[in-house]
Amino acid sequence: MMRSVRGFSLMEVLAALALLTIVLLGVYSGIGTATRIVRSGDDAIERMDEIRSAQTFIRDELAQALVMPYGETDDGDVLVFDGRAQTMKFVAPLPGYLSRMGAQLLTLALVDDGRERQRLEVTLALIPPDGGDPQPLGEPEVLLRGIRKGGFAYRGMDDQNRPMDWQDEWADHRRTPLLVRIHLDADGGVAFPDMVAPVRIDASASRNGFFSGRGTRGPVIR
């Protein structure tokens, strides 16, 4: 005897398709969420690497700062360190093969990048051995983009050898500060911790005879 075979009704087929659609949508949503999480994690790691690289470069260069005048003020005083709220200039050797060109003038600057953002960039210039004006080396290199706001501050010793408060501008261009603080409010969901970097050179260098008064140009031997 042959048994009658009962198939699926139209309602059962539609219900199964609806259930399958819901399951597929859930799977697709889960995959999309996982992809976004992975991409966000990759972006955060990349941003952390950018911030770490910028901090390392600045810290290393400040640690190698040289008491080497690179110019003169209008009054004839030598320029050794020029520190302002948005720019910083000093002389230091570069790492690796770049140091073969000798000490160079580094200019760190916070530059308007549009859309109410700034970028941190460095400009290099060779210091001629004859005491001439520094010669720029190519275009500025960007260390970090996507900065909402930021600034530099400086701290050193006063004439009575007492610690000074943090200053937005380093007034005595003839000597270096003891410490440089860098504050950057960066995009990307990764904080740029306030960095306080020591400057290797003694801040009282200009008062201890490393170079004398006005009109001195060129390298100074310690």
Side-chain angles (χ1 to χ4, degrees):
M1 297 177 62
M2 297 183 60
R3 296 181 179 179
S4 61
V5 179
R6 179 178 178 274
F8 294 104
S9 68
L10 179 60
M11 293 301 297
E12 289 173 334
V13 172
L14 292 177
L17 289 176
L19 181 60
L20 179 61
T21 302
I22 293 173
V23 172
L24 291 177
L25 286 175
V27 172
Y28 178 79
S29 177
I31 293 175
T33 300
T35 301
R36 287 192 296 272
I37 292 174
V38 171
R39 186 180 297 115
S40 177
D42 290 341
D43 292 343
I45 292 173
E46 183 178 352
R47 188 63 167 167
M48 288 176 62
D49 288 342
E50 292 175 351
I51 291 175
R52 189 180 297 112
S53 296
Q55 289 180 329
T56 300
F57 177 83
I58 296 171
R59 192 184 301 276
D60 289 349
E61 293 308 308
L62 285 171
Q64 301 181 87
L66 301 174
V67 179
M68 181 182 292
Y70 61 85
E72 296 179 356
T73 65
D74 294 337
D75 297 329
D77 287 329
V78 293
L79 286 170
V80 169
F81 191 99
D82 185 7
R84 305 169 190 266
Q86 300 286 302
T87 61
M88 183 181 357
K89 291 183 181 181
F90 59 95
V91 177
L94 289 179
Y97 72 94
L98 295 174
S99 62
R100 297 175 184 174
M101 293 184 288
Q104 300 177 46
L105 174 63
L106 278 72
T107 302
L108 291 168
L110 285 166
V111 181
D112 185 16
D113 205 14
R115 301 181 301 279
E116 298 183 353
R117 292 295 184 268
Q118 295 177 310
R119 65 180 181 271
L120 177 63
E121 62 182 30
V122 58
T123 304
L124 306 176
L126 283 176
I127 300 179
D130 60 1
D133 293 331
Q135 302 299 313
L137 283 174
E139 297 296 324
E141 295 290 337
V142 177
L143 297 179
L144 190 66
R145 296 185 184 273
I147 301 170
R148 289 187 289 268
K149 61 180 179 178
F152 308 141
Y154 313 91
R155 192 175 189 185
M157 309 294 285
D158 61 17
D159 293 335
Q160 282 72 43
N161 208 33
R162 296 175 300 188
M164 302 166 56
D165 293 331
W166 287 104
Q167 310 287 327
D168 290 335
E169 182 170 346
W170 185 246
D172 192 350
H173 303 303
R174 299 169 299 174
R175 60 190 179 104
T176 62
L178 289 177
L179 300 171
V180 174
R181 184 178 67 194
I182 300 173
H183 170 77
L184 299 178
D185 186 5
D187 289 336
V190 179
F192 187 108
D194 281 3
M195 185 181 75
V196 177
V199 182
R200 184 187 65 177
I201 300 300
D202 181 6
S204 61
S206 61
R207 300 197 298 271
N208 291 343
F210 294 122
F211 58 86
S212 58
R214 303 169 180 268
T216 304
R217 301 291 297 275
V220 178
I221 300 176
R222 296 187 65 182

